[in-house]
Amino acid sequence: MTIDERFKTIRQHIEDATKSARRDSNSVTLLAVSKAQEINKIEQAYQLGQKAFGESYLSEALPKIEALSHSDIDWHFIGPIQSNKTKDIAENFDWVQSVDRIKIARRLNEQRPTKLGKLNVLVQVDLFEESTKQGCQLKDLDELLDFVVQQPNLHLRGLMAIPPRQSNTQQQLDQFSQIALVFENVKKTYPEVDVLSMGMSDDMTSAIAAGSNMVRIGSALFGERPANWKSKLK
Ligand SMILES: *Cc1c(COP(=O)(O)O)cnc(C)c1O
């Protein structure tokens, strides 16, 4: 399949999922996850009208952002964040979806160049004690949200989650619904919050049914990532 065909398929997928959830088809944003993908594929997707791209690894992302600096792409950082990486993230990305602790939020705020405007932030939540150790636990969430919302160079936009992979649709729905419930509560406290980022290639239908309004799609858009791509990362 060409990228063009893959995009059409995914857009149709989103439309079907929103329809069966009785939601507006425009209510779900598609984030194209371009990690492990060549610049020319990103460019092709951009030419097809895709504007939001997600990257997980800084060493891979920076050359791509540089090469595509003529575009108006919105770059989302979605990977684990080490504190020595926050400066490059704050200077090169429009969104960070994986903020999971105060230390990272503080550094991003301090290092965000004022001339770039506020950095959009999603707090990554971990409701299911994932083995990856990424994500803010529920007991720490209020404190982190409260901190982010007070930072002048950060704009709290919502939550991101990567629940454990489930092949069973009911289990997917159950996990996503629990996250959506947390999101609804967060919105009550912070009315400016508007983004719930959950759902990937394999479980986007369940995520949309549960209330996701941003799906992060990689392999279904660009094809499978090369098996050895991580070994090339610094
Ligand atoms: C890689 C990745 C995705 C995309 O995964 P696919 O299964 O290829 O759609 C989404 N979100 C995060 C955080 C990722 O790291």
Side-chain angles (χ1 to χ4, degrees):
M1 260 200 284
T2 63
I3 289 194
D4 193 2
E5 288 163 339
R6 286 176 181 277
F7 263 87
K8 286 206 182 97
T9 306
I10 293 292
R11 289 207 187 98
Q12 188 61 50
H13 215 109
I14 292 175
E15 195 166 322
D16 295 345
T18 49
K19 203 177 258 173
S20 54
R22 296 170 196 275
R23 296 176 52 193
D24 187 337
S25 64
N26 294 322
S27 64
V28 177
T29 301
L30 171 60
L31 179 74
V33 176
S34 47
K35 67 179 182 215
Q37 307 298 342
E38 307 280 347
I39 288 169
N40 69 2
K41 280 202 180 172
I42 302 176
E43 187 118 51
Q44 258 176 289
Y46 177 68
Q47 298 302 338
L48 292 168
Q50 179 63 29
K51 224 188 135 201
F53 289 83
E55 289 282 340
S56 304
Y57 299 94
L58 199 59
S59 60
E60 179 193 28
L62 291 180
K64 293 179 181 176
I65 295 175
E66 172 75 31
L68 294 164
S69 58
H70 58 279
S71 72
D72 65 345
I73 288 177
D74 285 329
W75 292 101
H76 293 233
F77 192 82
I78 60 174
I81 307 178
Q82 295 154 281
S83 49
N84 63 350
K85 301 284 168 64
T86 51
K87 184 163 188 284
D88 278 332
I89 294 172
E91 289 176 353
N92 290 282
F93 283 80
D94 305 291
W95 290 69
V96 184
Q97 299 205 2
S98 40
V99 173
D100 64 357
R101 54 199 193 274
I102 286 180
K103 182 181 181 189
I104 296 299
R106 177 184 293 120
R107 292 176 63 96
L108 288 170
N109 177 64
E110 284 167 3
Q111 294 166 335
R112 177 69 170 177
T114 320
K115 65 170 196 294
L116 294 181
K118 292 183 185 215
L119 181 61
N120 293 293
V121 167
L122 301 184
V123 165
Q124 183 177 349
V125 288
D126 170 15
L127 266 57
F128 308 102
E129 308 212 4
E130 289 250 67
S131 54
T132 55
K133 295 239 170 70
Q134 243 181 285
C136 176
Q137 313 251 304
L138 208 50
K139 65 176 172 40
D140 303 320
L141 184 60
D142 285 345
E143 195 188 359
L144 179 54
L145 291 170
D146 200 51
F147 182 85
V148 171
V149 89
Q150 289 181 50
Q151 305 310 304
N153 298 319
L154 304 181
H155 185 184
L156 178 66
R157 297 295 299 270
L159 302 181
M160 185 272 259
I162 316 173
R165 262 178 210 271
Q166 304 289 357
S167 48
N168 179 295
T169 309
Q170 193 51 50
Q171 281 173 335
Q172 292 174 357
L173 267 173
D174 181 53
Q175 292 184 155
F176 287 134
S177 302
Q178 290 184 54
I179 300 161
L181 204 61
V182 173
F183 177 67
E184 290 307 319
N185 277 322
V186 168
K187 269 207 306 201
K188 281 182 204 149
T189 315
Y190 306 104
E192 71 268 43
V193 155
D194 58 352
V195 176
L196 177 57
S197 168
M198 59 183 192
M200 322 206 295
S201 295
D202 293 338
D203 55 15
M204 56 181 289
T205 305
S206 303
I208 291 172
S212 166
N213 59 25
M214 185 180 285
V215 288
R216 308 180 307 269
I217 309 296
S219 45
L221 277 179
F222 295 109
E224 289 300 324
R225 290 178 281 276
N228 64 342
W229 70 279
K230 274 192 184 173
S231 63
K232 293 186 206 140
L233 296 174
K234 270 182 253 139

